[in-house]
Amino acid sequence: MKKIIFLVITVIISFTTVSNLFAVNEAAALFLLISPGSRVAGMGEAFVAVADDASAVYWNPAGLAFQSGLEITFTHAKWLPQLVTDMAYEFVAYKQYIENISGTIGANVTFLNLGEVYQYNSDTGEFLGTFNSWDLAVSMSYGTKLSPNFGLGVTARYIRGRVLSNDGTSYGVDLGVLYKIPKWKNLRFGANLSNMGPKITYG
């Protein structure tokens, strides 16, 4: 019964909000396109139909439906080190199976430090000060099995960013499915609609 309610709520959210949603992956939120995990990079980022670890909160929340136990994963990388020295990408994800809700929850934090910026008056050349720019996303996910071979997942994401002294906020939603082909043990089908939400604006 819980699974049916979850499915109905997910479908309702999808159809009642999709007309007002569009990708947040505009220039202001490109950090959401950065792929976490060295394992995934080694697979050519073909992970939506795999999604078998805590990073499923990024790749496909439906992958959480087939996971048990507790896991934490993290990624740290210097960003564009050939250009600057103070930019860094951080990704931390957590997942845990909870029997009472017949599914697995997940959470993650993504942070991109864009480093220190020196600002000058374009007319006078006056030095106005230094500013730190960054992007942050905090996500909560839930995945559950609707059948032994079919999983459904949803992620809600809060996005915040700072460019110079201007702050902006937005939100995003991911909807994912994962189906294991019964007759072929290692054959799966996965799909994930990610980062659906309004544009982020700064002011």
Side-chain angles (χ1 to χ4, degrees):
M1 185 64 182
K2 291 180 181 178
K3 294 178 181 179
I4 295 175
I5 293 173
F6 172 73
L7 179 60
V8 170
I9 291 173
T10 302
V11 171
I12 290 173
I13 291 173
S14 301
F15 284 102
T16 57
T17 62
V18 71
S19 62
N20 296 318
L21 297 179
F22 43 89
V24 298
N25 289 328
E26 305 292 337
L30 286 175
F31 79 108
L32 294 175
L33 295 176
I34 301 174
S35 304
S38 56
R39 177 190 176 202
V40 178
M43 297 173 62
E45 300 184 2
F47 205 65
V48 172
V50 179
D52 60 357
D53 59 23
S55 68
V57 298
Y58 175 89
W59 293 102
N60 185 356
L64 295 172
F66 299 95
Q67 298 183 41
S68 59
L70 183 152
E71 182 181 337
I72 298 175
T73 185
F74 65 90
T75 298
H76 164 78
K78 288 290 186 180
W79 195 243
L80 302 177
Q82 66 274 25
L83 299 179
V84 294
T85 60
D86 59 350
M87 290 177 60
Y89 172 78
E90 316 289 347
F91 175 88
V92 179
Y94 157 86
K95 63 93 176 179
Q96 181 176 0
Y97 176 77
I98 300 179
E99 187 174 357
N100 291 340
I101 60 174
S102 301
T104 301
I105 62 169
N108 94 282
V109 176
T110 304
F111 182 76
L112 179 63
N113 179 10
L114 296 170
E116 194 173 57
V117 177
Y118 297 88
Q119 188 176 26
Y120 295 86
N121 185 304
S122 59
D123 296 322
T124 65
E126 178 188 1
F127 177 66
L128 301 177
T130 59
F131 300 88
N132 288 310
S133 297
W134 47 264
D135 289 307
L136 171 72
V138 180
S139 305
M140 292 293 296
S141 304
Y142 174 69
T144 188
K145 292 181 185 178
L146 300 183
S147 74
N149 297 305
F150 182 72
L152 183 67
V154 61
T155 295
R157 180 172 294 109
Y158 171 76
I159 304 162
R160 186 173 179 83
R162 174 170 293 176
V163 176
L164 299 180
S165 58
N166 300 311
D167 292 342
T169 60
S170 187
Y171 65 89
V173 177
D174 298 357
L175 296 175
V177 295
L178 185 59
Y179 179 67
K180 295 183 176 182
I181 312 296
K183 293 183 179 180
W184 291 277
K185 182 179 179 180
N186 296 317
L187 186 60
R188 300 180 174 192
F189 170 80
N192 184 34
L193 295 174
S194 61
N195 298 322
M196 299 181 295
K199 292 181 179 179
I200 183 170
T201 56
Y202 293 88

